């Protein structure tokens, strides 16, 4: 008997936590954080209390209450009896937080299966972020942390990495991960061969990036397997075909930057290695140096380890590292306490905002809104700011967006939006589903599951926590 239970990703974008059971074997497909649900109760200065361990997360239903999946230390902390792990593994489709981050709560004996590049990205995320309960995917510190425990090493999780085409065997399940195109490298769709037949899981997917051929590989293999069921993402099921593409981001952004006779500033998500490549290439083509942050360096160095990504090394002649102003404001070594900065202070390609301001036309600076105070030192004049991120889609984002616009106006920065989505649009998705032709479809990772009913395929609209037998 094969069963599916959806503990997240139901009528929301992300937060996927799908339990698949085949006889006595249980696995999870992703175990992500639900931004929507978290946002119902929490915001920047109102977060779940570390002091209450996983208690606040359970009580506010940010994680499902299931026995045999959570960390022993966290259960003990809230007065529950720790249990042995009852899950054979989590197959992580990709490194986005809405799929990965709540692995942080899982039992140490549950192995995590993910792509090799996905692991590199998780390592980079861990290196430059502060340890919190929601950010302990790679390893965790036993809670509660008493002062005497500060120096104790963290407990490492078991990761088993794969590349496309490799088959994983977990109990009666044989799982084939196949690369797909998405806005982060190391993204996979899955063909899960169960004792009742193959089940397809799309992960997050698109057709208009630089690697649409990878998605095509997935579609071909999924179709050939003659699946009994398919679990698909539907982020943009309500969107029609458009002319967006990564190539268009390149040409539009290049045009804007060419027009600029002063400093060029760009902002994009560094987890998106394709977007990095787009801006790196533009900088090279226009004879500018691309200035990135120490945080970005954590990612770039790992991308470079993956030869297939063909990204430059941190020592590349077209890349510079922006030294942030800290403590004394004099850029002395002693100003930096973060490990990820300290270990890179001796790099030869470090530059300060003041240096950049002397010859602004020579540089293209990657600068996120949260670091806009750097604009005060960069002193841009009639410059351009390329916003290569999605537009705001909720109230909180609107408020930040408004503030960002104020900064841009204050420094006479011309705003240009240039972005393409990480998700397949409705027309392509409908075609993809009909090509794969599963016997039954479970739409998740969407706010519009009802829209899938228009496709001439049997659709099961899922309810959170309900178990579906195949
Ligand atoms: Zn997602
Ligand atoms: Zn994603």
């Amino acid at each position: 008997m094969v069963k599916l239970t959806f503990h997240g990703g139901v009528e929301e974008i992300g937060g996927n936590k799908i339990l698949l059971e085949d006889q006595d074997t249980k696995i999870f497909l992703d175990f992500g954080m639900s931004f929507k649900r978290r946002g119902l109760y929490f915001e920047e200065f109102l977060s779940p209390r570390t002091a209450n361990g996983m208690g606040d997360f359970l009580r506010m239903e940010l994680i499902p209450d299931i026995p045999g999946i959570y960390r022993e230390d966290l259960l003990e902390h809230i007065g529950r009896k720790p249990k042995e792990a009852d899950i054979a593994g989590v197959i992580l489709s990709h490194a986005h937080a809405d799929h990965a981050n709540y692995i942080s709560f899982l039992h140490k004996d549950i192995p995590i299966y993910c792509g090799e590049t996905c692991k590199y990205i998780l390592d980079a995320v861990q290196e430059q972020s502060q340890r919190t309960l929601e950010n302990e995917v790679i390893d965790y510190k036993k809670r509660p942390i008493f002062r005497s425990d500060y120096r104790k090493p963290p407990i490492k999780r078991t990761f088993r990495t794969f590349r496309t085409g490799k088959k994983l065997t977990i109990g009666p399940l044989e799982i084939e991960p196949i690369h797909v195109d998405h806005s982060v490298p190391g993204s996979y769709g899955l063909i899960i061969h169960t004792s009742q037949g193959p089940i397809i899981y799309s992960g997050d997917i698109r057709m208009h990036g630089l690697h649409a051929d990878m998605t095509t590989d997935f579609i071909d293999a999924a179709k050939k397997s003659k699946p009994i069921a398919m679990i698909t993402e539907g982020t943009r099921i309500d969107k029609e075909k458009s002319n967006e593409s990564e190539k268009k981001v390149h040409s539009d952004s290049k045009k804007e930057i060419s027009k600029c006779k002063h400093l060029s500033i760009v902002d994009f998500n560094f987890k998106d290695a394709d977007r990095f490549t787009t801006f790196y290439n533009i900088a090279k083509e226009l004879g500018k140096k691309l200035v990135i942050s120490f945080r970005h360096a954590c990612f770039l160095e790992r991308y470079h380890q993956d030869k297939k990504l063909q990204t430059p090394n941190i020592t590349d002649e077209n890349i510079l590292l922006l030294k942030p102003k800290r403590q004394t404001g004099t850029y002395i070594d002693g100003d930096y306490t973060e490990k990820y900065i300290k270990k890179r202070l001796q790099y030869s390609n470090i530059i300060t905002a003041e240096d950049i301001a002397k010859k602004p036309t020579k540089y293209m600076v990657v600068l996120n809104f949260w670091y806009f105070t750097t604009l005060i030192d960069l002193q841009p004049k009639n410059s351009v700011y390329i916003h290569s991120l999605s537009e705001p889609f909720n109230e909180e984002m609107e408020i930040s967006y408004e503030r960002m616009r104020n900064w841009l106006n204050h420094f006479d920065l011309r705003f240009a939006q240039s972005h393409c989505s990480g998700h397949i649009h409705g027309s392509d998705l409908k075609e993809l589903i009909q090509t794969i032709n599963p016997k039954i479809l479970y739409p998740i990772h969407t706010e519009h599951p009802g829209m899938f009913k228009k496709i001439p395929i049997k659709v099961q609209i899922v309810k959170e926590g309900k178990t579906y037998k195949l």
Side-chain angles (χ1 to χ4, degrees):
M1 181 72 75
V2 178
K3 293 185 279 188
L4 288 170
T5 314
F6 300 84
H7 290 288
V10 178
E11 282 185 53
E12 60 175 335
I13 293 168
N16 292 14
K17 299 175 204 70
I18 306 154
L19 176 65
L20 188 158
E21 296 172 77
D22 190 351
Q23 297 152 66
D24 291 333
T25 301
K26 297 177 189 170
I27 61 165
F28 265 102
L29 308 176
D30 292 332
F31 208 85
M33 173 203 275
S34 160
F35 288 103
K36 186 177 170 187
R37 190 172 294 203
R38 196 185 186 284
L40 286 177
Y41 310 110
F42 299 105
E43 55 171 82
E44 203 185 346
F45 295 108
L46 174 60
S47 1
R49 296 163 297 175
T50 308
N52 207 28
M54 68 188 293
D56 287 5
F57 294 89
L58 275 175
R59 187 69 184 79
M60 301 315 287
E61 297 175 353
L62 301 187
I63 49 175
D65 200 348
I66 306 172
I69 70 169
Y70 292 120
R71 279 161 50 176
E72 294 163 297
D73 60 317
L74 292 179
L75 287 171
E76 262 176 312
H77 188 195
I78 57 165
R80 289 199 190 179
K81 237 179 124 161
K83 288 210 165 73
E84 269 177 47
D86 186 29
I87 301 287
V90 175
I91 322 291
L92 175 59
S93 64
H94 63 288
H96 280 152
D98 61 321
H99 297 255
N101 270 46
Y102 281 3
I103 286 173
S104 305
F105 295 98
L106 295 181
H107 198 291
K108 68 169 183 346
D109 295 340
I110 301 176
I112 313 299
Y113 297 79
C114 70
E116 236 175 66
T117 313
C118 175
K119 175 66 167 40
Y120 286 145
I121 296 167
L122 295 173
D123 285 334
V125 170
Q126 165 114 353
E127 186 186 358
Q128 43 84 51
S129 29
Q130 275 204 330
R131 184 180 291 282
T132 70
L133 258 186
E134 292 171 287
N135 201 2
E136 297 195 299
V137 178
I138 298 290
D139 58 30
Y140 65 87
K141 290 250 188 175
K142 199 170 166 260
R143 311 283 167 147
I145 310 177
F146 294 103
R147 199 163 281 277
S148 54
D149 295 336
Y150 278 3
R151 288 187 177 276
K152 283 192 185 151
I155 297 157
K156 281 200 161 72
R157 289 180 200 284
T158 307
F159 274 82
R160 302 200 176 122
T161 59
F162 54 72
R163 293 204 77 103
T164 196
K166 190 179 160 181
K167 288 190 176 121
L168 320 166
T169 307
I170 306 176
L173 302 167
E174 190 178 73
I175 301 160
E176 265 181 272
I178 299 175
H179 55 200
V180 295
D181 190 29
H182 183 41
S183 48
V184 63
S187 294
Y188 289 82
L190 306 172
I191 303 173
I192 307 152
H193 300 274
T194 71
S195 54
Q196 271 176 252
I199 298 175
I200 307 298
Y201 177 48
S202 71
D204 285 357
I205 199 166
R206 68 174 168 187
M207 297 294 296
H208 55 261
L210 296 176
H211 311 285
D213 52 319
M214 301 203 300
T215 303
T216 311
D217 289 345
F218 169 66
I219 299 170
D220 290 348
K223 179 190 173 186
K224 229 187 244 167
S225 75
K226 297 200 168 60
I228 56 162
M230 176 169 173
I231 304 160
T232 184
E233 76 127 311
T235 316
R236 299 207 306 154
I237 185 70
D238 56 333
K239 298 281 186 296
E240 284 306 313
K241 220 181 198 74
S242 72
N243 63 349
E244 68 176 330
S245 71
E246 193 61 37
K247 280 188 185 138
K248 191 169 182 300
V249 173
H250 180 117
S251 57
D252 290 356
S253 307
K254 189 176 170 184
K255 211 185 282 167
E256 291 292 342
I257 293 167
S258 312
K259 278 193 276 180
C260 172
K261 300 286 171 257
H262 202 261
L263 181 65
S264 311
I265 299 165
V266 300
D267 188 10
F268 59 88
N269 188 336
F270 226 85
K271 271 191 192 172
D272 188 344
D274 290 342
R275 192 58 50 83
F276 163 79
T277 303
T278 294
F279 283 104
Y280 170 77
N281 286 337
I282 294 174
K284 242 171 96 170
E285 286 157 19
L286 297 177
K288 293 180 192 288
K289 306 271 184 205
L290 187 69
V291 185
I292 66 171
S293 72
F294 279 84
R295 282 183 193 277
H296 298 151
C298 302
F299 287 88
L300 193 58
E301 286 174 25
R302 268 134 183 142
Y303 289 154
H304 188 65
Q305 283 177 264
D306 184 343
K307 295 295 163 237
K308 247 195 106 187
L309 290 180
Q310 296 184 312
T311 48
N313 201 349
I314 190 75
T315 52
D316 185 273
E317 56 172 6
N318 298 300
I319 304 264
L320 294 173
L321 258 177
L322 182 65
K323 200 171 193 181
K325 204 174 252 183
R326 291 280 158 83
Q327 301 199 31
T328 66
T330 60
Y331 299 112
I332 51 166
D333 284 1
D335 282 351
Y336 304 92
T337 50
E338 302 98 318
K339 256 196 213 154
Y340 75 94
I341 297 185
K342 265 167 96 173
K343 72 180 251 203
R344 295 181 170 89
L345 279 177
Q346 302 316 317
Y347 285 13
S348 58
N349 54 346
I350 292 175
I351 191 166
T352 64
E354 286 78 2
D355 291 334
I356 294 171
K358 282 178 203 154
K359 288 180 185 158
T361 50
K362 276 182 69 180
Y363 307 102
M364 208 168 115
V365 181
V366 185
L367 193 71
N368 184 262
F369 170 62
W370 304 112
Y371 301 90
F372 263 19
T373 43
T374 311
L375 290 174
I376 297 166
D377 306 326
L378 287 170
Q379 304 172 49
K381 287 178 193 77
N382 294 316
S383 297
V384 68
Y385 170 74
I386 311 249
H387 187 257
S388 194
L389 296 160
S390 53
E391 285 170 276
F393 49 80
N394 61 38
E395 233 174 295
E396 249 171 275
M397 285 171 86
E398 292 280 2
I399 296 167
S400 294
Y401 212 65
E402 187 64 39
R403 211 169 268 132
M404 176 188 84
R405 293 280 199 167
N406 293 341
W407 277 89
L408 299 181
N409 289 339
H410 190 84
F411 286 100
D412 277 330
L413 278 158
R414 185 164 47 84
F415 175 87
Q417 172 72 17
S418 180
H419 180 60
C420 74
S421 168
H423 300 276
I424 189 166
H425 55 67
S427 347
D428 276 351
L429 182 54
K430 284 171 201 159
E431 201 183 310
L432 176 151
I433 292 164
Q434 281 176 272
T435 307
I436 294 177
N437 195 28
K439 289 217 173 82
I440 185 168
L441 185 72
Y442 298 90
I444 56 152
H445 202 290
T446 177
E447 289 182 328
H448 314 285
M451 284 188 77
F452 283 83
K453 289 204 160 161
K454 287 185 193 146
I455 307 171
I457 270 176
K458 190 178 167 198
V459 175
Q460 176 66 59
I461 304 290
V462 298
K463 283 214 168 66
E464 184 160 315
K466 193 177 161 182
T467 299
Y468 299 89
K469 291 178 187 156
L470 277 122

